[in-house]
C-alpha cells in the first residue's frame, strides 16, 4: 500500500506569487536546486530546470550523490519502493571512476516503460523537493514544450513535491492548464504529441494513482506561466479558458538559451547570425491588455530594469544569465570561472547560432575555448545520439512511430526519412548541455563529450555585477543588484 503523498512544505496560492524577479529555468541543470532555493530564500521566485532531470538524477547518483541530497529527498517520495528502485539502479556509493561511461537511461518515447516514467517522476520530485526544503517560499519548474514526451511525468513529480509554479516555453504550451487541472485531481492525464507525418493521433500520459495510491485529497495545482515571444500568442492562449495560463513571461531575442526565430524572411548578418528587428519585440501594451500578470525576460539584467518593466505594466522581470554565472548555479565551476574572466576582460562574446540547435530554433552560444563554440572542437566530435531528448517522433506507418534528431549520425537520420539538409551545423545539445554542468558522458573509447555554453547576448548587467563583485557573486547579490 502506497504511503500518503509527502507534503514537505506548503504550496503558495497563485494570487500570492508576484515576485519582482523570476530566476529563469535554465537547462540542463544550470538552474538546479541550490540556485532555485537560494533565489527563493532571497524572496524572489527560484525556478529549477525540469529538462532531462531523468539523466541528471541518474548521473548524480552514479557520481555518488555527493552530500546525500538526492537520497535525502527520495526518502520523502510517496512510494518508497519506487524511489528505492531508482537508487538501487543508479547509485554508486564509491562514485563512478573517471573514464567509466555513465549508464544509459531509457530514451523518451510515446510508450514509456514503467521504469522510464518512474525515473522521470522521482527525478523531478527530488529536484523540487530539494529547492523547497526548509522554507515555505514559492519554487517553480521550467519545462520545454518541444520535449513533449517528458512533460506529464516531469510535471507529476514536481506536483508531488508541491511545486508552486510551472513555466513552459519553446512552443505553444496550450495543453498545460488542462494537464495541471487533471493531475491536481489525481486523474490520468496526457498530452497530444506532434508526430511528423501523422495520419492518426498520438499522446503520452501518466496516471497519478500509480504513484500515490488512491487518495481523494487533491494535489496542489501550481500556477502556470507561458513563456512567449509574441503578444499574439498571449491573446491566442488567453482567449479560451482551456488554454489560458495564469500569466506570461514575455521573452525577447537577447535571452540566453533558445530564441524564437526572427519574423519574416530570414536574414543573416555577415557572420551568420539572424537579424532581429523591431517586429521581434513583443507589444507589451497588447500583452498588458490581456489582463493577466506578466514578466519581461531577456536582457533585463541592468539595475532599473525592474522599475522599467513595472512601468510597462509587468509585475517584474525574468533573468537568466546573471544567475547562470552566480556561485549557486549548476554551471561547472571551471566554465563559469572562464566565462567570468572573459567577461571581466571584455572578451566574452555570445553568438546567436541559427543552426546549432536540433530544434531549429536560434540558440545563443557563448564563445569559450575548448567548448563546441570552437569549430575545431565541434568538427572533432563524431556524431552520436545516446541521450535523445530532442528526438522527434515520426510515423513509419499508422500506429508505428520512429524517432529522429538532426543532431544524430547522418546515415541514421536519412535512413529514418530525415532530410540531410536539416543536419547541417547541428550540435548535440543533450550532450553539450550535460557537459556544462559536470555531467559529461565519457564514451567507451575515452572521448569526453565537450561542453556547449549558452548565455544571453545582453551582458551589461553582468559586467556591472563583475565590477562590484570581482571575486564572483551569489544569487542574493543578483537579487540585490536587480532590485537596486
Ligand atoms: C544557460 C541558460 C540555459 C537556459 N535554458 C532554458 C531552458 O531550458 N528553458 C527555458 O525556458 N529558458 C531557458 N533559458 C532562458 C532563461 O530561462 C531566461 O529566460 C533568459 O536567460 C533570460 O534572459 P537573460 O539571459 O538575458 O537574463 C536559458 C538561459 C540560459 C542563460
Amino acid at each position: 500500500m502506497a504511503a500518503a503523498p509527502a507534503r514537505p512544505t506548503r504550496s503558495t496560492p497563485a494570487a500570492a506569487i508576484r515576485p519582482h524577479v523570476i530566476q529563469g529555468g535554465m537547462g540542463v541543470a544550470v538552474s538546479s536546486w541550490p540556485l532555485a532555493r537560494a533565489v527563493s530564500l532571497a524572496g524572489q521566485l527560484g525556478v529549477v530546470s525540469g529538462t532531462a532531470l531523468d539523466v541528471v538524477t541518474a548521473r548524480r547518483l552514479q557520481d555518488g550523490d555527493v552530500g546525500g541530497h538526492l537520497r535525502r529527498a527520495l526518502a520523502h517520495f510517496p512510494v518508497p519502493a519506487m524511489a528505492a528502485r531508482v537508487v538501487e539502479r543508479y547509485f554508486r556509493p564509491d562514485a563512478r571512476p573517471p573514464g567509466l561511461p555513465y549508464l544509459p537511461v531509457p530514451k523518451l518515447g510515446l510508450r514509456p516503460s514503467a521504469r522510464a516514467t518512474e525515473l522521470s517522476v522521482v527525478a523531478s520530485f527530488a529536484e523540487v523537493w530539494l529547492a523547497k526544503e526548509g522554507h515555505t517560499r514559492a519554487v517553480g519548474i521550467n519545462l520545454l514544450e518541444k520535449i513533449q514526451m517528458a512533460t506529464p511525468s516531469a510535471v507529476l513529480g514536481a506536483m508531488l513535491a508541491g511545486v508552486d509554479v510551472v513555466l513552459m516555453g519553446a512552443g505553444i504550451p496550450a495543453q498545460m492548464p488542462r494537464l495541471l487541472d487533471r493531475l491536481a485531481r489525481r486523474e490520468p492525464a496526457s498530452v497530444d504529441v506532434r508526430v511528423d507525418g501523422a495520419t492518426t493521433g498520438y499522446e503520452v500520459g501518466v496516471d497519478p494513482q500509480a504513484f500515490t495510491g488512491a487518495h481523494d485529497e487533491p494535489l496542489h495545482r501550481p500556477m502556470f506561466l507561458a513563456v512567449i515571444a509574441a503578444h499574439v500568442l498571449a491573446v491566442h492562449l488567453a482567449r479560451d479558458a482551456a488554454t489560458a495560463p495564469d500569466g506570461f513571461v514575455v521573452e525577447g531575442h537577447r535571452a540566453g538559451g533558445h530564441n524564437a526565430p526572427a519574423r519574416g524572411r530570414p536574414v543573416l548578418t555577415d557572420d551568420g547570425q539572424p537579424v532581429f528587428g523591431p517586429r521581434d519585440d513583443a507589444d507589451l501594451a497588447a500583452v498588458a491588455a490581456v489582463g493577466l500578470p506578466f514578466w519581461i525576460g531577456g536582457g533585463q539584467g541592468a539595475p532599473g530594469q525592474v522599475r522599467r518593466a513595472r512601468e510597462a505594466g509587468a509585475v517584474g522581470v525574468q533573468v537568466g544569465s546573471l544567475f547562470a554565472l552566480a556561485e549557486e548555479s549548476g554551471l561547472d565551476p571551471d566554465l563559469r570561472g572562464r566565462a567570468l574572466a572573459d567577461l571581466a576582460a571584455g572578451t566574452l562574446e555570445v553568438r546567436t547560432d541559427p543552426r546549432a540547435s536540433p530544434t531549429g530554433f536560434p540558440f545563443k552560444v557563448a564563445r569559450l575555448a575548448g567548448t563546441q563554440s570552437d569549430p575545431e572542437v565541434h568538427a572533432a566530435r563524431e556524431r552520436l545520439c545516446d541521450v535523445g531528448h530532442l528526438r522527434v517522433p515520426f510515423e513509419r506507418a499508422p500506429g508505428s512511430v520512429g524517432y529522429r534528431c538532426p543532431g544524430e549520425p547522418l546515415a541514421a537520420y536519412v535512413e529514418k526519412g530525415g532530410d540531410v539538409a536539416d543536419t547541417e551545423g547541428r550540435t548535440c545539445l543533450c550532450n553539450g548541455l550535460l557537459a556544462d554542468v559536470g555531467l559529461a558522458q565519457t564514451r567507451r573509447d575515452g572521448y569526453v563529450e565537450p561542453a556547449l555554453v549558452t548565455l544571453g547576448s545582453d551582458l551589461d548587467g553582468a559586467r556591472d555585477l563583475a565590477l562590484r563583485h570581482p571575486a564572483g557573486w551569489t544569487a542574493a547579490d543578483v537579487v540585490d543588484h536587480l532590485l537596486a
Side-chain angles (χ1 to χ4, degrees), residues 304-436:
Q305 288 297 110
V306 171
R307 181 177 42 77
R308 282 189 283 279
R310 290 178 63 78
E311 283 164 8
V315 180
V317 297
Q318 170 161 297
V319 169
S321 299
L322 298 190
F323 288 112
L325 295 170
E327 262 169 34
E328 299 91 339
S329 141
L331 203 55
D332 177 71
D334 172 55
L335 288 170
R336 190 166 57 84
R338 288 198 283 129
L340 286 172
D342 288 358
L343 181 75
T347 55
L348 183 58
E349 242 184 273
V350 176
R351 243 179 84 75
T352 308
D353 191 320
R355 299 290 311 171
S357 172
T359 65
F361 284 110
F363 188 71
K364 290 279 191 292
V365 176
R367 283 214 170 132
L368 284 174
T371 71
Q372 293 208 57
S373 61
D374 176 341
E376 275 183 31
V377 174
H378 181 251
R381 180 184 181 274
E382 195 181 324
R383 284 179 175 232
L384 178 73
C385 181
D386 53 351
V387 180
H389 267 60
L390 293 177
R391 294 188 317 164
V392 173
F394 67 96
E395 194 177 89
R396 290 185 188 276
S400 161
V401 168
Y403 303 89
R404 63 190 172 207
C405 172
E408 72 183 325
L410 264 52
Y413 187 68
V414 172
E415 184 276 321
K416 295 180 212 167
D419 180 350
V420 74
D422 287 346
T423 64
E424 200 188 308
R426 304 296 185 202
T427 303
C428 175
L429 286 196
C430 294
N431 273 296
L433 298 181
L434 282 160
D436 288 354

Side-chain angles (χ1 to χ4, degrees), residues 81-108:
M82 274 184 199
R85 278 196 291 272
V86 169
V87 172
E88 161 86 7
R89 215 165 284 142
Y90 297 105
F91 178 53
R92 289 189 70 125
D94 47 350
R96 182 188 63 113
L100 185 75
Y102 287 111
L103 293 173
V105 308
K107 286 188 175 168
L108 298 177

Side-chain angles (χ1 to χ4, degrees), residues 23-28 30-31 49 51 142-144 167-170 227 249 251 254-258 297-301 318-322 324 331 436 453-458:
Q23 162 251 314
M26 297 176 280
V28 168
V30 171
S31 296
S49 165
T51 304
N142 175 287
L143 294 158
L144 296 173
L167 303 97
M168 179 176 263
V227 184
V249 174
E251 185 149 280
R254 291 168 196 85
H258 286 97
Q300 302 295 307
Q318 170 161 297
V319 169
S321 299
L322 298 190
L331 203 55
D436 288 354
V453 175
T454 177
L455 286 172
S457 57
D458 181 342

Side-chain angles (χ1 to χ4, degrees), residues 52-331:
L53 280 175
D54 49 355
V55 187
V56 167
T57 301
R59 290 188 181 183
R60 285 179 181 157
L61 284 170
Q62 287 167 80
D63 286 337
D65 184 23
V66 179
H69 303 300
L70 280 171
R71 283 164 296 151
R72 186 170 74 254
L74 294 183
H76 295 267
F77 190 74
V79 191
M82 274 184 199
R85 278 196 291 272
V86 169
V87 172
E88 161 86 7
R89 215 165 284 142
Y90 297 105
F91 178 53
R92 289 189 70 125
D94 47 350
R96 182 188 63 113
L100 185 75
Y102 287 111
L103 293 173
V105 308
K107 286 188 175 168
L108 298 177
L110 287 166
R111 289 191 202 90
S113 61
R115 180 187 276 212
T117 306
E118 197 165 288
L119 175 60
S120 172
V121 174
V122 160
S124 71
F125 170 88
E127 194 74 3
V128 172
W129 191 94
L130 288 167
K132 285 180 75 76
E133 187 181 18
H135 66 93
T136 56
R137 298 178 180 216
V139 164
I141 189 167
N142 175 287
L143 294 158
L144 296 173
E145 214 277 334
K146 275 263 174 193
I147 309 185
Q148 291 184 301
M149 293 179 293
T151 299
S153 52
V155 172
L156 175 60
M159 286 176 67
L160 291 174
V163 76
D164 301 276
V165 184
V166 172
L167 303 97
M168 179 176 263
I172 301 177
Q175 303 188 65
M176 188 54 83
R178 183 170 168 272
L179 182 73
L180 296 178
D181 291 343
R182 288 190 66 91
L183 290 178
R185 294 193 298 264
R186 298 176 188 261
E187 294 168 0
S190 59
V191 296
D192 296 332
V193 176
R194 272 179 311 279
V195 173
D196 284 354
T199 55
T200 178
Y202 294 91
E203 58 177 31
V204 67
V206 70
D207 179 1
Q209 306 258 337
F211 293 86
T212 65
H215 283 276
D216 293 333
E217 192 196 351
L219 292 170
H220 174 71
R221 198 279 195 193
M223 177 183 188
F224 172 52
L225 301 181
V227 184
I228 56 168
H231 57 272
V232 286
L233 192 49
V235 175
H236 170 76
L237 289 172
R239 196 175 284 151
D240 184 341
T243 61
D246 301 299
F248 300 100
V249 174
V250 186
E251 185 149 280
H253 56 85
R254 291 168 196 85
H258 286 97
N259 305 134
R263 282 162 160 258
R265 200 172 54 85
V267 180
L268 299 182
T269 57
D270 290 347
D271 66 347
Q273 303 190 60
V275 175
F276 293 98
R279 286 172 66 206
D280 297 303
D281 292 329
D283 177 347
L284 296 177
V287 177
V290 170
L292 293 171
F294 70 99
W295 287 259
I296 304 175
Q300 302 295 307
Q305 288 297 110
V306 171
R307 181 177 42 77
R308 282 189 283 279
R310 290 178 63 78
E311 283 164 8
V315 180
V317 297
Q318 170 161 297
V319 169
S321 299
L322 298 190
F323 288 112
L325 295 170
E327 262 169 34
E328 299 91 339
S329 141
L331 203 55

Side-chain angles (χ1 to χ4, degrees), residues 31-43:
S31 296
S32 60
W33 65 265
L35 177 61
R37 184 165 184 273
V39 175
S40 292
L41 284 171

